[in-house]
Amino acid sequence: MHYFTLVKRLGGVPLIIEVQEYNEKENLESLQVSRDKEEDI
């Protein structure tokens, strides 16, 4: 339901299908995911 609401309001949103883990040694950029197309969502 959350993805449906985001797509309805924003268009394409990142589709996260794998658990992400944050290590303090890595940058936050490693957790950023590009937006997927609205059709993919």
Side-chain angles (χ1 to χ4, degrees):
M1 189 64 176
H2 293 291
Y3 274 111
F4 175 76
T5 304
L6 287 172
V7 169
K8 185 177 176 183
R9 292 183 181 174
L10 302 175
V13 295
L15 181 61
I16 306 205
I17 55 175
E18 296 180 12
V19 177
Q20 295 181 320
E21 295 183 22
Y22 173 68
N23 292 330
E24 293 181 17
K25 297 177 182 177
E26 296 181 15
N27 295 335
L28 287 176
E29 288 84 26
S30 64
L31 297 177
Q32 293 179 344
V33 179
S34 61
R35 287 183 173 202
D36 290 324
K37 295 180 181 178
E38 188 175 343
E39 295 84 24
D40 295 338
I41 301 298

